[in-house]
Amino acid sequence: MLTEPATGALGGDDPVLQIRRGIAALSAESRESWIGVTRSERLQELLEVRERLDAETLRLIGLSDRDGAWEIDGAFSPRSWLTHRTPISDSEAQRLVKIARLVDQHTVIAEALADGDITTPHVEAIGRVVSKDREPFLEEHAGVLMEQARQLPVGDFAMVMRRWAALADDQLAKEEFDKGNDVTCMQR
């Protein structure tokens, strides 16, 4: 349930207060008489707005995570804070924190998302394949990957990310092999 607080965090110009008012106006729309194309256009507009809101949500979660803002309420983690203070599930909180950290820790990704050049599903595609071991490669390749994300639909970009993960794993295996050979050579 959306309720309008007496004043928003920023007073009368609070963007969240404006969004709440906009949602109230949207819910009051009578769409029964609209023709299909009008409904489709409204749906497209709503999904575009939701995407931008999702992007800002990720950016704020990342900043709050970095600053430890969740500790103020006595939560043990950003994930636990989200599940107890917002209407999302534990698995959704885990997913949001993971991709928010990606955004917060990689300036190139954060800028592309903030500018609307990529979408949150693009960031989710990155989050699905990035692991602790692959993280250094992401930093190295983030610029090129953002170029691909800007040009490709999400499904195609997800394939690029899976291929990137396989290449990163190959490089990790090569480095591990080379390290093992260095030790073997030193033992001889």
Side-chain angles (χ1 to χ4, degrees), residues 35-133:
I35 60 173
V37 69
T38 305
R39 288 182 188 156
S40 295
E41 288 171 355
R42 176 61 87 203
L43 179 59
Q44 183 178 357
E45 291 168 340
L46 287 174
L47 290 172
E48 288 169 355
V49 169
R50 185 180 86 175
E51 165 53 34
R52 298 311 312 145
L53 190 58
D54 288 348
E56 291 307 311
T57 300
L58 285 179
R59 292 177 61 213
L60 186 55
I61 290 171
L63 178 62
S64 297
D65 177 41
R66 180 174 13 113
D67 292 348
W70 43 270
E71 294 174 331
I72 293 169
D73 290 331
F76 295 111
S77 69
R79 179 176 162 186
S80 66
W81 186 92
L82 285 166
T83 57
H84 289 93
R85 302 283 297 198
T86 68
I88 63 172
S89 68
D90 183 62
S91 60
E92 176 70 359
Q94 180 179 6
R95 184 188 68 78
L96 286 173
V97 169
K98 179 178 181 175
I99 60 177
R101 284 177 177 159
L102 275 174
V103 171
D104 190 61
Q105 294 168 2
H106 299 278
T107 305
V108 172
I109 297 172
E111 289 173 354
L113 186 63
D115 293 343
D117 292 340
I118 65 169
T119 64
T120 55
H122 284 100
V123 179
E124 290 170 357
I126 298 168
R128 280 192 293 275
V129 301
V130 170
S131 64
K132 183 179 177 182
D133 292 337

